Amino acid sequence: MTTRTTGDPSAGPPARAGETGGEEARKVLLASPRSLCAGVERAIETVERVLADRGAPVYVRKQIVHNVHVVDDLRRRGAVFVEELDEVPPGATVVFSAHGVSPAVREQAAARELRVIDATCPLVTKVHVEARRFAARGDTVVLIGHAGHEEVEGTMGEAPERTVLVQTPAEAAALEVEDPGRVSYLTQTTLAVDETAEVVEALRARFPALTGPGSDDICYATTNRQRAVSEVAADADLVLVIGSANSSNSVRLVELARRRGVAAHLIDDVGDIRPEWLRDARAVGVSAGASAPHHLVEEVVAFLRELGPIQVTEHRHTIETVRFAAPKEVRTP
């Protein structure tokens, strides 16, 4: 981990104790990486490009990413978010969200002659491919994830007759399958790494022949943000995670900080910060889920500065360099 005092102009110059009437500066510990990941950026840019090229309205099935600020901004620019495809006029353009869809949804889109632009994160697509491969060889596919999440619904739809959902170690330990010797597992990409390991351990104890994906399904961005928050939590009295309530990876960051014994709260923006959280917090950790825009972090830092002198330090776990190509329908020549 690299720790440095930030010189980011958006955060302003770091304050030092004694700069303002002798008041001790509150420490603001920025977890890094934070905010948008490559899959989310790709999905947002996809909708932006379609709006620029084809004009409004552009229909998007579900929220393109799980963040109210992103969705509201795109809605103001002409995106129309729908729950199901029967809300989309026949022949219109529809964008599939970063969380992916099931084959049944693709079939429905074809039947309605919709022009589909698929913004599914490539790392979610990887899980879908694995689900089809494991099911095709006759395995029971155990999907570790959260019931009702759009990513889980899409993955289970790849082989619904052979896939079962498990959410906890207890459910894994009690699972009954057709052939205990042919069981494989996959995971939702935005789970807590340590909790998922416990579920996999329970599955392996139940089914010794258990097989899994060739590489972790929990995505690099989720893992990196969790590790960065864990490091910041070790030095913080309070952790603020910027993200929406339906953002799985953001919620996991809050839970992780709390498991480290630190008070932690999920906020959509500065308007959600409650004064009593800060009363005795001399070191505040700040992170943002993978679907939260960067400017929201800057606004939180600016808000904390308004309350008194702060010393901003970035705790860098790693540098992310991953980039994904845009869907072929919106690539520039």
Side-chain angles (χ1 to χ4, degrees):
M1 178 189 73
T2 301
T3 303
R4 64 182 180 87
T5 301
T6 182
D8 181 357
S10 65
R16 292 180 293 275
E19 282 190 337
T20 306
E23 182 181 353
E24 182 181 357
R26 174 184 278 125
K27 296 179 180 178
V28 177
L29 314 175
L30 297 180
S32 180
R34 60 184 177 273
S35 297
L36 303 182
C37 66
V40 165
E41 289 180 332
R42 176 181 184 267
I44 295 170
E45 290 170 0
T46 296
V47 178
E48 291 175 336
R49 290 188 187 187
V50 178
L51 285 168
D53 294 344
R54 308 186 187 187
V58 171
Y59 294 88
V60 183
R61 184 183 181 274
K62 307 290 187 180
Q63 292 187 355
I64 186 67
V65 299
H66 286 160
N67 185 269
V68 294
H69 290 277
V70 170
V71 171
D72 287 347
D73 176 62
L74 292 173
R75 183 180 286 119
R76 285 191 295 268
R77 295 157 68 177
V80 178
F81 295 91
V82 301
E83 286 300 303
E84 300 300 341
L85 293 183
D86 57 12
E87 301 173 57
V88 181
T93 296
V94 63
V95 179
F96 289 158
S97 79
H99 311 104
V101 300
S102 68
V105 172
R106 297 183 187 278
E107 292 168 7
Q108 183 185 8
R112 293 179 62 80
E113 298 183 336
L114 301 179
R115 291 175 290 176
V116 171
I117 299 175
D118 189 357
T120 301
C121 174
L123 299 180
V124 174
T125 300
K126 164 186 174 290
V127 181
H128 284 216
V129 171
E130 292 166 342
R132 294 194 296 268
R133 178 165 61 87
F134 290 162
R137 71 187 187 191
D139 289 7
T140 296
V141 181
V142 181
L143 176 61
I144 304 171
H146 297 293
H149 192 280
E150 289 153 34
E151 181 185 329
V152 166
E153 292 176 350
T155 301
M156 293 194 71
E158 291 290 349
E161 72 289 348
R162 301 210 61 84
T163 307
V164 295
L165 179 66
V166 163
Q167 302 185 80
T168 67
E171 291 179 3
L175 183 63
E176 299 284 349
V177 300
E178 180 182 23
D179 183 353
R182 301 195 64 84
V183 182
S184 55
Y185 77 89
L186 300 170
T187 78
Q188 184 179 331
T189 63
T190 55
L191 300 180
V193 174
D194 53 354
E195 291 186 332
T196 303
E198 294 174 2
V199 179
V200 173
E201 183 179 350
L203 282 172
R204 203 170 298 283
R206 179 74 168 165
F207 308 110
L210 181 75
T211 60
S215 59
D216 286 344
D217 286 336
I218 298 177
C219 81
Y220 77 94
T222 296
T223 301
N224 288 343
R225 281 152 187 73
Q226 288 178 17
R227 289 174 177 170
V229 164
S230 182
E231 292 168 358
V232 162
D235 299 321
D237 304 312
L238 168 71
V239 172
L240 299 175
V241 175
I242 303 164
S244 293
N246 62 340
S247 168
S248 175
N249 78 91
S250 300
V251 173
R252 303 289 85 75
L253 295 178
V254 174
E255 294 173 346
L256 175 62
R258 290 174 179 171
R259 288 199 300 276
R260 299 294 184 267
V262 181
H265 301 281
L266 182 68
I267 60 173
D268 264 313
D269 51 43
V270 295
D272 290 337
I273 300 176
R274 296 168 59 173
E276 58 266 30
W277 297 346
L278 298 167
R279 190 168 295 127
D280 299 317
R282 301 312 306 163
V284 179
V286 178
S287 186
S291 49
H294 299 283
H295 72 85
L296 297 175
V297 176
E298 297 167 4
E299 291 170 7
V300 167
V301 174
F303 172 81
L304 294 173
R305 176 166 281 108
E306 291 175 0
L307 301 180
I310 62 174
Q311 179 180 343
V312 182
T313 305
E314 183 166 13
H315 288 241
R316 177 171 289 168
H317 168 71
T318 189
I319 297 175
E320 293 178 346
T321 58
V322 177
R323 295 291 181 271
F324 294 131
K328 62 181 183 299
E329 296 87 353
V330 296
R331 292 176 194 165
T332 54

